[in-house]
Amino acid sequence: MRIISKKTLRDFYEQPNYADSKYALESWHYEVLKRDWNNPNEIKAQYKSASIVGDNKVVFNICGNKYRLIVKINYIAKIVFIKFIGTRKQYEKIKVEDL
């Protein structure tokens, strides 16, 4: 899969308060680059705690659910668009459907 954009992840984990997310986000990025997902079921097979939230959006738990990563996936084009990365508290303040 192609990921748009790693800079979003980097901008997040380079902030001092979120530096503990670097390893987990880098690992997620590396794993997803190697994947070729065709549907949400294939994601759930790999990431049991991922939530499929509709409109091809997926919520991944990062660092033991300390952070949430929301992506939108175009399965045909094989592109993962990063829509949000933040703490659980920040996640609770957003509307996923608006992303």
Side-chain angles (χ1 to χ4, degrees):
M1 303 294 288
R2 184 172 161 217
I3 302 170
I4 312 273
S5 113
K6 183 174 182 180
K7 182 180 182 317
T8 305
L9 299 179
R10 191 178 313 113
D11 288 348
F12 182 78
Y13 68 65
E14 286 180 347
Q15 296 177 63
N17 291 342
Y18 308 128
D20 62 333
S21 67
K22 180 177 180 175
Y23 178 77
L25 289 171
E26 288 285 339
S27 295
W28 176 88
H29 185 268
Y30 179 75
E31 291 172 9
V32 172
L33 284 175
K34 297 186 301 183
R35 297 295 169 208
D36 186 24
W37 294 321
N38 294 300
N39 59 62
N41 294 331
E42 293 178 0
I43 296 170
K44 288 294 285 182
Q46 181 181 0
Y47 294 97
K48 304 282 188 243
S49 66
S51 299
I52 310 302
V53 291
D55 192 29
N56 294 326
K57 291 180 187 155
V58 182
V59 179
F60 292 95
N61 298 321
I62 305 294
C63 288
N65 206 16
K66 184 175 181 180
Y67 303 107
R68 299 281 175 90
L69 171 64
I70 303 173
V71 302
K72 184 169 183 172
I73 301 175
N74 181 323
Y75 294 99
I76 296 169
K78 306 295 182 195
I79 300 174
V80 176
F81 298 93
I82 297 172
K83 304 302 264 178
F84 171 86
I85 177 71
T87 65
R88 285 179 53 199
K89 190 173 184 177
Q90 292 165 336
Y91 171 83
E92 291 169 0
K93 293 179 180 179
I94 65 166
K95 291 186 177 184
V96 175
E97 58 273 6
D98 292 343
L99 296 176

